[in-house]
Structures are given as structure tokens and as C-alpha cells.
């Protein structure tokens, strides 16, 4: 970004009007800089508070906390590994389900839907994000999980049962159920961001492709999706961010078992869920500090995943959100 | 639980409104802690407000651990907990902390079997079910306790609370008292390392999963099992008889439990013939020396009422009222509060 000062013509002495102008620009620059940095400060403060609240656990367990699978409040042995695993796997499942659905919906809404259908459909998808997490969780227990247990899971087991992912007993509540409820929660955000991005693909791109005799599918694939892929990736990361930290709905359907299982039908547990579950009743200091450390780990995992995503984004070609101005 | 929370919130809003409109500012007593106590407290605060319009209560049901911490930080006038505080925790407070038992509740063993037969279970078998050692419903040990009941050849699916809970404390306290294996492998706490099974969030999570999964077994406080019309087991008590959970059988447990003078007791597996063995008390925690005289006076007045008159309201909510002899002993302890 060019320095603001250099874009403003140098004011000659006595030209009062222009100096004022320059002052306003400067003030605005500093104001926005302050606002932007305050976000950094906020994250730093959260990190500091979490580290401060977990000193006892940090001291006692050290790095072992990250690789230990033990979570035993009675004998005060704590480790985060099954929760880290659960957080990453459930979020990954959510992305695998939500991204194709969301991008396809966004393409349909912008490229194909008749005008009268666009608005109602958009509203419906965005309505999904207005459902409170705890309500979604209760719906999950009483409607979704029984359906999954009776219909979808047995079918998955009989068709894909040769994979270790789909073996073992079916309880309904499971890592897969957790991933599915997360997918439902992140579909609205990925869809609406994707829709904005696809909408911002210049019409010239499409026209050019059509002029070359491309079919609608080819236009969508080459001129639209390929052009927008960086932005779509960004939308996915936004959804992933939500999925990593989601608590209530997941807790209610994931089975809450701190275990690393091969099967997606087995119950799992996430970092956010265990904090939500055990924080209010934690009585001893070390226990409380271990829960705080889980919060710190969650912050770390989120930052790490986002950083990796940014790196991956750099390797993708084509203009991204930035290039579409 | 959610509706009662909403109710408490509405009550809080009303209280705030009443406070605005009244000329004389009523004294506000703050409390925090156990969610298990909230229905009883809401009812008591409401009834007590009619007796003493100058005292108002504000209770945040943030969980027993939260209640203990807030009391230690002196941000509340009283805490409430489903598990007694340890010596170590109490030593962190600026003064002597009193444990006043105010309600007791039973934990029902709920299950889901075809035909909903009435089951009888004993402690050792129950512990081994939750340890994962007894894994099938037609296990010889369950069959021996239930002659004449047709038990299916079905996996037992254990469901437990995933959130920290006083109900879990009572249940694991009971299992520790009847099974040495449980005591050494798992132990008792508001959250434990469960050897097997699925975790459900809240009573509604446990009940929901037990209801849906054929072959499931879980535990929930009696009021919850009753409201959901779920079948629950009769449990063999220390005297050798099978007893169904009810406010009466929990009261019987309280009456025969050994209760020390500081009231930090566990009432699981008491000797009484009619006592239900999986029961526990919940405590109000207060400092013996109240820093604010007016708060102390009002609080003591309320506590005296709650352990006597208030107990008559408990049974409607499926809590066990304190037996007469326990009421008298608690009253004496309330009498030692200085302000």
C-alpha cells in the first residue's frame, strides 16, 4: 500500500485548505491503524489470559499435555490429544460435507436460479445460521441422531464397511454425527460468502467464455469457479474457523468420549466441548488450569490451521478476493 | 432445566423491577452454585419474599465448582454445592465455612429394554456394568437378580453425564462405596474418567440417549426420570432389600446415614431398611463470620426458615425433605452464624 502522505499533493506554504486536508488524512490513517492493531491486541490479550489461567497445568504437564490421552479429574492427570484429534476430525468432516454443498448452492443461486427463486432460497439458507446452537443440538439428539442410526449409518456400513472408517457398533451419537451437525452450521456462512464472491466475478469473463463457444458447465468451471477459487477457499476457511470452535450442538451429538477411534461411528470429543462440559463444576485448581490450557490449545490449533490455510492459499494461482476489486 | 433457568431469569427481572418501584430498597442477598438446587431455591425465594418483603435473593446456577469459587472469592453471600468442599479448598477462604445441607435427592438408574421390565440391581453388578465388565443384558449376574424376567441377548450401552455434575458425584460416590474395583480404577468426582460408554450433556442428554438406544443404561436424578416417565431399577441397599427411589426412600436414607457435626457427609448406602442407597445431599455454603451484619442477619433468618418450613415445599419438587432430627441439628449450626 502506498503511503497516504505521498498520494496527497505537497502543500505549498500558505495553502491552508490543503494542510487541513492532509491532517484529516493523517488522522484517518492513524485511526484505522489503531483499530486494526486493536484486533491483534485482543488476540494477544486472550492468549495471555489463557496462558495465565493455565500456569499450574503448563508447569506440571509441559509439552506432555499435547500428546497425552489421559483425562482423569479424580487422579488429576490431564492430556489434550483426544480432544485435539476430535476437533480436527469433526471439522474436517464438516468441511467435506459443507463445501461442495455450499459452493454448488452458491453457483446455483448466482448463475442458474430463476430470479423469483433466488431471494427466498437465499433467505432460507441464511435462516439456518439464525438457529441457536443449543436448539440445533437438541434437534440433533431427538431427530437427527435417531435417523442417522436407523437409516444412514447402517447403509454406510453395508456399502463402505470395508473401510475402517465405517466399521464397529453404531450408537448414533458419534464423530460423524458431530461432523454432520457442524456441516449444517457452517453451510450458511460458506454459501453466503461464496455467493458474494461468485457474484463479483466480472461479467466479461463469462461473456468471453460463451463467445468462445463454451457450454454453461464449462463457463461455470473455467470462467467462474476457477477465477473465484481463492475467494472460495477464503470462504471455506471462515467456515472452518466456526467449526473448530463450535461447542453446544457438537457436544450434544458427538458422544463425548475422549478416545482416538478409527471408526467415524465411534464417539469422539472436541476441545470446545470438554471446556463447556466441565468448566462449571471444576473444583480443584489444577483441574481448572487444565481446562484453561485446553482453551489455549484450541486457540493455538485455530491459529495454526489458519496459518496453514494461508500458506496453501499462496500456492493457489489466479486472482483471489483481492484481485476482484 | 432450561425452563427453570428462564423462570429464574424472569423472576430476576421481576425482582429488579420491584426494586425500582419500591421506595425502600430491599436488601439483596447474592448466591451462586449448584444447578441441582435451582428449582428448590426458586420456590423458596418466591415463598420467602412473601414473608419478608425487604429481602431479595439473586441466585446464579453456575455449577457447584463455580459456587465454591465464588464463595472463596467472597463475591457472593452464599454458595451452593452438591459435593462437600475439601479441607484443602476450605483453607483458601478467609474464614470458617459452614456446610448446611438443605435438600437431598436420589439418583435413579434408568434403562431401555424391550417391554420395559422392572429390574432389580445390586451395587456390585451396577459397578461392573459401568466398568464394562458385565457387557450383556442376559449376563448370569443380572439374571440371578431378576428371576422370571426375560432378559435379551443384547449389548449393554452405558450412558453417563459428560458435563460435570453433582448427580455424577453421588453416583460415583455410591459405586466407590460398593465396589473396590471402581474405587481404585475410577473413584468419585463430579467428572470422572469413565471406563466405557457414551457421554450425554445434561440430564436431557443422558435421558435422550437412553430413551433412543435399545440396551442403554444410564443414571439421572429422580425428578428427571419421573418427568420423563422412564423405567428405573430397584436397587439393593445395605440392609439387603430392594428399594425404589422416591422422596420417602431418600428421606429414609438421610435419617439413617451417619452425619458428622460439620455436615460434610456422604449418605450413600446407609443402613436403613427402607433407605434408597444412591442418594446425596446438597449444601448451602456460608461463612460463619459474616462481614456485613445486615446481610448476615437476613441470610441466617432465611436459612432457619429454609431448613424447617421450606422443607415442606421440597417434596413437591421430588427432593427429599430433611428429617426432623436433621432439621434440628442444622438449625443449631445456623445459630452459630455471627453477624
Amino acid at each position: 500500500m502506498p503511503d497516504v502522505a505521498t498520494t496527497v499533493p505537497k502543500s505549498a506554504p500558505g495553502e491552508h485548505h490543503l494542510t487541513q486536508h492532509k491532517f484529516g488524512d493523517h488522522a484517518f490513517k492513524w485511526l484505522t491503524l489503531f483499530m486494526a492493531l486493536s484486533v491483534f491486541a485482543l488476540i494477544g490479550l486472550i492468549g495471555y489470559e489463557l496462558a495465565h489461567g493455565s500456569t499450574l497445568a503448563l508447569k506440571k504437564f509441559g509439552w506432555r499435555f499435547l500428546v497425552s490421552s489421559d483425562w482423569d479429574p479424580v487422579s488429576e492427570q490431564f492430556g489434550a490429544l483426544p480432544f485435539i484429534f476430535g476437533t480436527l476430525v469433526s471439522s474436517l468432516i464438516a468441511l467435506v460435507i459443507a463445501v461442495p454443498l455450499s459452493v454448488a448452492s452458491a453457483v446455483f443461486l448466482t448463475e442458474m436460479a430463476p430470479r423469483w427463486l433466488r431471494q427466498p432460497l437465499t433467505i432460507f439458507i441464511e435462516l439456518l445460521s439464525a438457529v441457536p446452537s443449543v436448539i440445533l443440538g437438541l434437534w440433533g439428539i431427538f431427530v437427527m441422531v435417531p435417523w442417522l442410526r436407523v437409516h444412514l449409518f447402517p447403509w454406510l456400513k453395508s456399502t463402505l464397511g470395508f473401510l475402517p472408517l465405517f466399521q464397529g457398533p453404531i450408537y448414533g451419537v458419534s464423530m460423524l454425527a458431530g461432523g454432520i451437525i457442524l456441516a449444517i452450521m457452517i453451510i450458511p456462512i460458506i454459501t453466503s460468502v461464496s455467493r458474494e464472491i461468485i457474484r463479483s466475478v466480472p461479467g466479461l469473463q463469462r461473456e468471453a467464455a460463451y463467445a468462445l463457444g463454451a457450454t454453461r458447465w464449462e463457463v461455470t468451471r473455467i470462467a467462474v469457479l476457477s477465477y473465484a477459487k481463492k475467494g472460495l477457499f477464503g470462504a471455506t476457511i471462515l467456515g472452518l474457523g466456526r467449526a473448530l470452535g463450535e461447542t453446544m450442538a457438537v457436544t450434544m451429538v458427538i458422544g463425548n468420549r475422549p478416545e482416538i477411534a478409527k471408526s467415524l461411528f465411534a464417539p469422539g470429543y472436541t476441545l470446545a466441548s470438554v471446556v463447556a462440559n466441565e468448566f462449571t463444576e471444576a473444583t480443584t485448581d489444577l483441574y481448572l488450569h487444565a481446562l484453561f490450557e485446553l482453551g489455549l490449545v484450541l486457540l493455538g490449533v485455530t491459529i495454526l490451521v489458519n496459518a496453514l490455510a494461508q500458506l496453501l492459499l499462496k500456492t493457489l494461482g489466479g486472482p483471489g478476493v483481492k484481485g476482484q476489486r | 432445566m432450561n425452563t427453570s433457568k428462564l423462570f429464574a431469569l424472569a423472576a430476576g427481572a421481576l425482582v429488579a423491577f420491584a426494586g425500582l418501584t419500591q421506595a425502600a430498597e430491599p436488601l439483596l442477598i447474592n448466591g451462586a452454585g449448584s444447578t441441582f438446587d435451582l428449582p428448590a431455591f426458586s420456590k423458596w425465594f418466591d415463598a420467602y419474599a412473601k414473608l419478608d418483603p425487604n429481602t431479595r435473593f439473586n441466585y446464579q446456577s453456575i455449577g457447584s465448582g463455580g459456587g465454591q469459587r465464588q464463595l472463596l472469592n467472597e463475591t457472593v453471600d452464599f454458595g451452593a454445592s452438591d459435593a462437600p468442599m475439601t479441607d484443602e479448598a476450605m483453607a483458601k477462604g478467609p474464614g470458617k465455612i459452614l456446610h448446611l445441607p438443605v435438600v437431598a435427592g436420589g439418583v435413579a438408574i434408568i434403562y431401555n429394554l424391550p417391554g420395559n421390565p422392572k429390574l432389580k440391581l445390586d451395587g456390585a453388578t451396577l459397578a461392573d456394568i459401568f466398568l464394562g465388565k458385565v457387557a450383556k443384558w442376559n449376563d448370569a449376574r443380572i439374571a440371578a437378580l431378576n428371576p422370571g424376567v426375560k432378559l435379551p441377548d443384547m449389548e449393554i450401552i452405558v450412558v453417563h453425564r459428560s458435563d460435570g455434575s453433582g448427580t455424577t458425584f453421588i453416583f460415583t460416590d455410591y459405586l466407590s462405596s460398593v465396589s473396590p474395583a471402581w474405587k481404585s480404577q475410577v473413584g468419585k468426582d463430579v467428572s470422572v474418567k469413565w471406563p466405557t460408554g457414551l457421554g450425554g450433556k445434561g440430564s436431557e442428554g443422558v435421558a435422550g440417549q437412553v430413551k433412543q438406544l435399545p440396551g442403554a443404561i444410564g443414571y439421572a436424578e429422580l425428578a428427571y426420570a419421573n418427568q420423563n416417565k422412564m423405567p428405573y431399577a430397584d436397587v439393593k441397599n445395605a440392609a439387603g432389600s430392594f428399594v425404589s427411589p422416591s422422596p420417602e426412600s431418600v428421606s429414609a436414607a438421610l435419617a439413617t446415614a451417619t452425619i458428622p457435626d460439620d455436615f460434610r457427609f456422604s449418605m450413600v448406602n446407609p443402613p436403613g431398611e427402607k433407605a434408597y442407597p444412591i442418594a446425596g445431599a446438597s449444601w448451602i455454603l456460608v461463612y460463619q463470620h459474616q462481614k456485613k451484619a445486615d446481610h448476615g442477619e437476613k441470610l441466617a433468618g432465611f436459612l432457619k426458615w429454609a431448613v424447617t418450613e421450606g422443607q415442606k415445599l421440597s417434596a413437591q419438587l421430588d427432593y427429599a425433605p430433611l428429617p426432623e432430627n436433621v432439621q434440628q441439628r442444622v438449625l443449631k449450626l445456623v445459630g452459630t452464624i455471627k453477624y
Side-chain angles (χ1 to χ4, degrees), chain A residues 118-135:
Chain A
R118 276 180 203 189
Q119 205 51 35
L121 265 183
T122 310
I123 289 172
F124 265 115
I125 291 170
E126 274 160 18
L127 214 58
L128 210 55
S129 69
V131 178
S133 174
V134 64
I135 304 292

Side-chain angles (χ1 to χ4, degrees), chain B residues 146-201:
Chain B
N146 296 282
V149 177
K150 208 174 166 309
L151 291 161
D153 178 16
M154 204 182 234
E155 296 279 337
I156 298 178
I157 303 166
V158 167
V159 183
H160 53 76
R161 288 282 287 268
S162 63
D163 47 339
S165 161
T167 314
T168 299
F169 180 82
I170 294 169
F171 186 58
T172 53
D173 186 15
Y174 170 72
L175 293 182
S176 298
S177 77
V178 292
S179 160
W182 184 273
K183 193 176 182 179
S184 63
Q185 279 181 44
V186 185
K188 59 174 177 182
D189 206 337
V190 290
S191 306
V192 299
K193 185 181 183 181
W194 295 95
T196 179
L198 312 168
K201 169 133 178 87

Side-chain angles (χ1 to χ4, degrees), chain B residues 14 27 44 51 62 65 79 93 123 142 145 159 188 191 216 226 255 261 267 272 275 279 290 294 322 324 331-332:
Chain B
L14 261 175
L27 190 76
W44 286 347
L51 296 172
I62 55 172
I142 303 178
L145 291 166
V159 183
K188 59 174 177 182
S191 306
N226 271 334
D261 284 333
M267 57 184 278
Q290 292 284 318
D294 50 345
L322 301 175
E324 186 71 31
L331 264 186
K332 218 189 257 172

Side-chain angles (χ1 to χ4, degrees), chain A residues 169-231:
Chain A
I170 294 172
Y171 303 117
V173 291
S174 55
M175 186 72 93
L176 190 51
I180 292 173
I181 209 124
L182 276 177
I184 296 174
M185 299 191 77
I186 64 175
I187 281 173
I189 186 156
I190 305 186
T191 308
S192 67
V193 175
S194 301
R195 200 171 58 95
E196 289 306 316
I197 285 160
I198 293 173
R199 268 214 317 212
S200 70
V201 172
L204 273 174
Q205 283 268 336
R206 297 184 182 85
E207 282 163 28
Y210 278 124
L212 289 172
T215 62
R216 187 172 239 183
W217 159 239
E218 284 164 339
V219 170
T220 308
R221 187 166 56 89
I222 300 163
V224 178
L225 288 182
S226 172
Y227 189 85
K229 71 182 167 197
K230 254 189 170 173

Side-chain angles (χ1 to χ4, degrees), chain A residues 54-68:
Chain A
S54 54
T55 40
L56 283 181
L58 284 170
K59 255 187 226 152
K60 174 147 189 212
F61 304 114
W63 291 106
R64 198 152 45 91
F65 191 77
L66 293 178
V67 290
S68 161

